[in-house]
Amino acid sequence: MGNGVVNDRASALAPIEPKSLIGIVGNVAHQAPNWLFDFPAYELAIVEFDDQGCCQDRGQMRDLAEKISRLQENAKDAIIIVFTHGWKHDASSDDDNLKDFTHVLEQVVSYEGQQAAGQSTPQTPRPVLGIFAGWRGLSLYDNRFHILENVTFWDRQQAGRRVSTGSVRELFGYLHKYRKSRKDAAGGRPLLVIVGHSFGGMIVYSALEQSLIEAASAPSSRVTPSFADLVLLVNPAIEAVRYLPVQALVEERQNAQGNVPQPPVFVCVTAKNDWATGLAFPLGNLYSRFTEKSKPGHEREAILRTIGHISWMKTHDLAADAGSGGATDYKLSPSVQGDKGATPFWVVQATPDVINGHNDIFNARFLTFIADLVFTHADHTADRAANPEFHRNALTPPSS
């Protein structure tokens, strides 16, 4: 681990790279090798991938692999949150997604500390490790009108597809091995959450698709994916047709045997007013209508549109809780289209007061929803009655 304990995120990251008015972002690493940070409350690893899906610098992956190996060798449970950013972002020190992700890690630390202390027998909080998976989501930019970034859609979509089949799978492999080792151990309580936004959602889904299909097709009534406790996609830019095999298995399971109540293992959340996946994505992939063969009906629609913008895939609606008036209160309602809500595979559509557009994914209300998802997995036996509202305060975003 290269840097020792630091007190300031900004001073620990690489110097901010100056940008001209118009420019091209190189296919290079933005952070130094051996880039595993020890912050007072959590650890942060940054692993970057190039346009062909290979590691920008093997030192970043080696450090992370060694860290995960030490956790496994020491039989230590940890909370690991992985975030893969999307289009128009990268691992530069001034990237908004990187900054917001560190705030999320701080909030997870706070939540875990209070959760551990609030149990009938107080426990030592699990350490928190954040992993920021960076790739060249921003390749061309202009700092005045922000138009040039938009013409990179097709190019960055293809780059994201290459990343999804490359060294990011090595990263997920290390995490899978650690999680399985701790899950198999008596009393093991690791927690692994993998999150992808926009084209980052495409990367995560593509890399973990086999695991999700296996989970949905398992004969057991309880679904347990092998790679993570929760896979969360937010405004994912991926064709809905890719999700059809999972949906078919989930529907067959419901028709045959129903579902045992359990926390969701896959959640896809899309904002109703996300123009990037609702309008730009179908237009950008319009050529597929002429180059790909499909069955009439669902397949044809699913080739063009993303998962969250297809009504017959939706399982839940997410909105502000108008009855409470709280800044972080939300209401999750099963879809009116039958009893899909019992499935551990959720496709959620969010109103603008929860996610406003494509990039509004770090606001207080949505973070509260995510925290409730994540910590439902954390410890089913925890006694929450003593302090049932503490996550509402813990998840108020810090002032910039």
Side-chain angles (χ1 to χ4, degrees):
M1 300 167 60
N3 293 324
V5 176
V6 294
N7 295 311
D8 185 341
R9 175 188 60 84
S11 66
L13 298 174
I16 294 177
E17 305 159 9
K19 288 187 173 70
S20 57
L21 187 63
I22 297 175
I24 297 174
V25 179
N27 184 28
V28 296
H30 297 282
Q31 304 294 337
N34 310 313
W35 223 236
L36 184 58
F37 304 98
D38 274 328
F39 291 95
Y42 61 87
E43 290 180 294
L44 170 67
I46 299 177
V47 183
E48 299 176 77
F49 305 96
D50 66 18
D51 261 13
Q52 299 306 316
C54 300
C55 291
Q56 288 283 12
D57 193 306
R58 290 294 305 174
Q60 295 174 341
M61 185 71 83
R62 281 197 303 270
D63 256 19
L64 178 58
E66 290 173 5
K67 169 63 182 177
I68 295 171
S69 178
R70 284 195 297 272
L71 287 173
Q72 184 172 333
E73 290 171 0
N74 296 330
K76 195 172 188 62
D77 291 326
I79 298 175
I80 303 177
I81 312 291
V82 184
F83 179 78
T84 305
H85 66 75
W87 186 26
K88 305 180 186 180
H89 292 273
D90 55 30
S92 298
S93 296
D94 58 346
D95 189 272
D96 288 344
N97 277 187
L98 179 53
K99 174 184 175 182
D100 289 331
F101 181 56
T102 61
H103 292 330
V104 170
L105 298 177
E106 293 167 0
Q107 295 157 4
V108 170
V109 170
S110 174
Y111 194 110
E112 169 67 4
Q114 296 182 63
Q115 182 78 346
Q119 298 205 24
S120 54
T121 301
Q123 299 182 356
T124 301
R126 288 165 292 182
V128 173
L129 170 63
I131 302 173
F132 189 87
W135 61 286
R136 195 168 172 245
L138 178 67
S139 59
L140 181 64
Y141 68 88
D142 74 89
N143 284 325
R144 175 166 295 179
F145 301 108
H146 300 286
I147 295 174
L148 292 180
E149 293 97 323
N150 294 322
V151 304
T152 66
F153 174 90
W154 300 273
D155 179 58
R156 294 302 86 199
Q157 182 183 51
Q158 291 304 314
R161 286 172 174 164
R162 293 191 295 271
V163 171
S164 73
T165 61
S167 294
V168 72
R169 297 195 178 196
E170 177 187 355
L171 166 62
F172 292 151
Y174 292 133
L175 296 172
H176 165 65
K177 182 180 178 181
Y178 162 74
R179 177 176 176 268
K180 183 177 187 303
S181 172
R182 294 305 306 142
K183 286 283 188 181
D184 290 345
R189 297 174 55 245
L191 178 61
L192 175 59
V193 179
I194 301 177
V195 185
H197 171 239
S198 185
F199 283 146
M202 175 187 69
I203 291 170
V204 168
Y205 185 84
S206 299
L208 300 181
E209 185 172 10
Q210 180 64 28
S211 168
L212 294 171
I213 290 175
E214 290 174 356
S217 62
S220 171
S221 59
R222 184 173 179 84
V223 175
T224 307
S226 61
F227 271 83
D229 296 278
L230 174 65
V231 175
L232 172 64
L233 309 183
V234 187
N235 287 334
I238 184 172
E239 301 89 339
V241 70
R242 300 280 301 279
Y243 186 68
L244 283 180
V246 174
Q247 187 194 39
L249 289 166
V250 170
E251 290 180 348
E252 287 180 2
R253 176 188 297 273
Q254 287 179 302
N255 293 335
Q257 64 188 62
N259 288 285
V260 173
Q262 69 170 96
V265 297
F266 171 83
V267 179
C268 170
V269 185
T270 301
K272 285 185 176 181
N273 63 343
D274 177 13
W275 69 267
T277 60
L279 178 61
F281 189 92
L283 290 176
N285 285 316
L286 190 59
Y287 69 94
S288 302
R289 178 63 65 88
F290 308 103
T291 60
E292 297 184 22
K293 297 295 184 182
S294 63
K295 299 175 184 177
H298 285 180
E299 269 192 14
R300 185 167 298 174
E301 182 182 6
I303 285 176
L304 282 184
R305 306 185 71 185
T306 63
I307 301 172
H309 289 285
I310 294 185
S311 60
W312 43 268
M313 282 189 169
K314 183 176 67 172
T315 64
H316 295 79
D317 290 290
L318 181 64
D321 186 350
S324 72
T328 61
D329 294 327
Y330 64 86
K331 183 178 181 180
L332 181 70
S333 306
S335 169
V336 296
Q337 302 177 50
D339 184 23
K340 294 182 182 179
T343 173
F345 292 81
W346 292 5
V347 177
V348 181
Q349 193 170 80
T351 56
D353 46 22
V354 178
I355 305 177
N356 188 13
H358 188 65
N359 292 310
D360 179 43
I361 64 172
F362 292 102
N363 66 72
R365 182 170 282 117
F366 187 56
L367 288 183
T368 300
F369 170 71
I370 293 175
D372 288 345
L373 284 179
V374 169
F375 283 92
T376 297
H377 287 270
D379 189 352
H380 294 297
T381 63
D383 180 9
R384 303 165 189 261
N387 197 5
E389 295 297 321
F390 67 80
H391 66 279
R392 310 279 175 194
N393 299 322
L395 287 163
T396 301
S399 56
S400 301

